[in-house]
Amino acid sequence: MRITAAVATERRKPFTLMAADLPAPGPGQLLVTIHAAGICHTDLGFRDLDMPNAMPIVLGHEGAGTVAALGPGVTGFAVGDRVCLSYDSCGHCGACTGHAPQYCDELGLRNFAGVTPAMAPPMAFPDGTPLFGNFFGQSSFATHALSTVRNTVKIPDALPFHLAAPLGCGMQTGAGTVVNSLAGAPGKSLVVFGTGSVGLAAIMAAAALGMAPIVAVDRVQSRLALARALGATHGLTADEASLVSLAAISPGFDGSFDTTGVPGVIQLAIDCLGTRGTCALVGITPPGTLASFSPAGFLMGKKIIGVIEGDADPQIFVPWLAKQHLAGRFPHDRLVTTFPFDRINDAVDAMHQGEVVKPVLLMP
């Protein structure tokens, strides 16, 4: 079928809306009419950094919409179902059968390579030229996307599409890291470096769990004000944040969470930990980026962990997030600003300039 997609044609170039041909859903696939798609820094990282993905490519991995058609063998879904799309996984490797699909053996192939698991470009331009996609098993910067039963999640009727879309990655990553990776609990302390959508999702989850103190660190004062409104007990600018200023709040944090990927910030996130503290890293960094730390401090049971998708299974965690939002415990609507699909580059600019936290595209 003929669709309209926002195509990343070259590294570090704006998106271009173009016509593309999408095949009918194959075995295990669903065709989803996309109504809303969140923009995440990961999309821009794979557009702008020298990542191992092919181009031109259709990105987008926070899609939400309605099921338009089912491929052979698909059960559990019906045409018209309201769904949110997340990351894809194979379902049969050791990680998937061990309830950790975010570390699937085929994670790179199914989510980042730009091809199908059969190593073929999933789309084409009208003249037949191959167009890469299948980003996170969806490529939702388009009017329609193909997904799988593994990365498609039903959502409640009460949850609008523009609020469902960010749950598939950004909200899941931030909240999941606190809930799952850092085992957030009442009275545990947390410092979050970077208060974009992922960092703010972490703060909302921490507040809902009763963690304290919760410290937000960012370069932008308005983001710190929002962080406080969403549950942070303290806010420090990047210039104010140091071991001394953090120690004045807590002599050693139970958890730290870096969303920036900046080596100096990562070092501070490690150094501010207390005994048996854990530093969680989720920031996308350019290939070859290095960070340093002193091994001596780790004799006190400290840990550094890398986290994908908040250590969350979307089939479990996305419905939980939706339930939390509808109950008023996860007000991520305060982060969302909507843009028409044809203003995708304006949305990206607004995010880069700090004018919006989570831009979400609305499809025509």
Side-chain angles (χ1 to χ4, degrees), residues 163-183:
L163 298 183
L167 301 185
C169 182
M171 301 297 106
Q172 177 170 252
T173 297
T177 298
V178 170
V179 174
N180 302 320
S181 316
L182 297 176

Side-chain angles (χ1 to χ4, degrees), residues 60-86:
H61 64 285
E62 292 183 343
T66 53
V67 175
L70 306 175
V74 173
T75 60
F77 292 91
V79 172
D81 280 348
R82 305 174 78 256
V83 295
C84 172
L85 306 183
S86 188

Side-chain angles (χ1 to χ4, degrees), residues 32-108:
V32 177
T33 301
I34 301 296
H35 297 303
I39 300 176
C40 177
H41 283 288
T42 302
D43 295 306
L44 306 182
F46 275 80
R47 184 193 71 173
D48 298 339
L49 302 178
D50 294 321
M51 296 296 192
N53 59 287
M55 298 185 86
I57 189 170
V58 180
L59 299 168
H61 64 285
E62 292 183 343
T66 53
V67 175
L70 306 175
V74 173
T75 60
F77 292 91
V79 172
D81 280 348
R82 305 174 78 256
V83 295
C84 172
L85 306 183
S86 188
Y87 68 91
D88 197 19
S89 56
C90 73
H92 54 72
C93 70
C96 288
T97 58
H99 308 291
Q102 64 274 15
Y103 303 111
C104 172
D105 288 353
E106 298 181 7
L107 185 76

Side-chain angles (χ1 to χ4, degrees), residues 22-26 29-32 34 69 85 122-123 134-140 144-148 151-152:
L22 189 69
Q29 289 186 316
L30 301 86
L31 175 66
V32 177
I34 301 296
L85 306 183
M123 290 178 273
N134 197 45
F135 194 60
F136 279 66
Q138 52 179 287
S139 286
S140 52
H144 298 78
L146 291 175
S147 63
T148 74
N151 73 329
T152 306

Side-chain angles (χ1 to χ4, degrees), residues 12-359:
R12 295 170 284 278
K13 297 292 185 182
F15 293 101
T16 303
L17 263 62
M18 307 176 76
D21 289 335
L22 189 69
Q29 289 186 316
L30 301 86
L31 175 66
V32 177
T33 301
I34 301 296
H35 297 303
I39 300 176
C40 177
H41 283 288
T42 302
D43 295 306
L44 306 182
F46 275 80
R47 184 193 71 173
D48 298 339
L49 302 178
D50 294 321
M51 296 296 192
N53 59 287
M55 298 185 86
I57 189 170
V58 180
L59 299 168
H61 64 285
E62 292 183 343
T66 53
V67 175
L70 306 175
V74 173
T75 60
F77 292 91
V79 172
D81 280 348
R82 305 174 78 256
V83 295
C84 172
L85 306 183
S86 188
Y87 68 91
D88 197 19
S89 56
C90 73
H92 54 72
C93 70
C96 288
T97 58
H99 308 291
Q102 64 274 15
Y103 303 111
C104 172
D105 288 353
E106 298 181 7
L107 185 76
L109 173 61
R110 290 177 172 270
N111 293 274
F112 312 130
V115 296
T116 68
M119 300 298 291
M123 290 178 273
F125 290 109
D127 65 0
T129 303
L131 175 59
F132 297 95
N134 197 45
F135 194 60
F136 279 66
Q138 52 179 287
S139 286
S140 52
F141 286 169
T143 53
H144 298 78
L146 291 175
S147 63
T148 74
V149 294
R150 298 278 302 170
N151 73 329
T152 306
V153 184
K154 293 180 185 179
I155 57 173
D157 290 344
L159 186 65
F161 289 118
H162 71 284
L163 298 183
L167 301 185
C169 182
M171 301 297 106
Q172 177 170 252
T173 297
T177 298
V178 170
V179 174
N180 302 320
S181 316
L182 297 176
K188 281 192 172 184
S189 55
L190 175 70
V191 54
V192 177
F193 294 91
T195 56
S197 59
V198 172
L200 290 171
I203 287 168
M204 287 188 287
L209 292 172
M211 298 181 74
I214 303 169
V215 182
V217 180
D218 202 283
R219 295 176 300 176
V220 182
Q221 284 284 4
S222 61
R223 292 286 179 89
L224 294 175
L226 179 57
R228 282 179 172 273
L230 293 174
T233 59
H234 299 76
L236 297 174
T237 65
D239 291 336
E240 295 169 336
S242 66
L243 278 180
V244 173
S245 61
L246 289 171
I249 299 170
S250 171
F253 286 85
D254 297 303
S256 63
F257 184 19
D258 176 66
T259 71
T260 70
V262 176
V265 176
I266 293 172
Q267 184 169 343
L268 181 57
I270 294 168
D271 291 343
C272 73
L273 293 174
T275 300
R276 301 181 69 193
T278 301
C279 173
L281 306 178
V282 303
I284 296 292
T285 58
T289 300
L290 300 177
S292 62
F293 61 88
S294 171
F298 285 82
L299 298 177
M300 299 305 294
K302 297 181 183 180
K303 296 184 288 292
I304 306 172
I305 58 173
V307 181
I308 294 177
E309 292 290 342
D311 284 334
D313 181 340
Q315 300 294 338
I316 298 170
F317 204 73
V318 168
W320 182 82
L321 281 175
K323 182 178 180 180
Q324 300 307 304
H325 172 75
L326 293 174
R329 292 187 289 267
F330 192 76
H332 71 290
D333 54 295
R334 298 188 62 177
L335 313 184
V336 171
T337 303
T338 58
F339 291 81
F341 184 35
D342 61 5
R343 289 185 56 205
I344 182 171
N345 293 311
D346 292 337
V348 170
D349 289 344
M351 183 168 66
H352 277 157
Q353 293 165 13
E355 297 171 359
V356 303
V357 178
K358 169 56 71 172

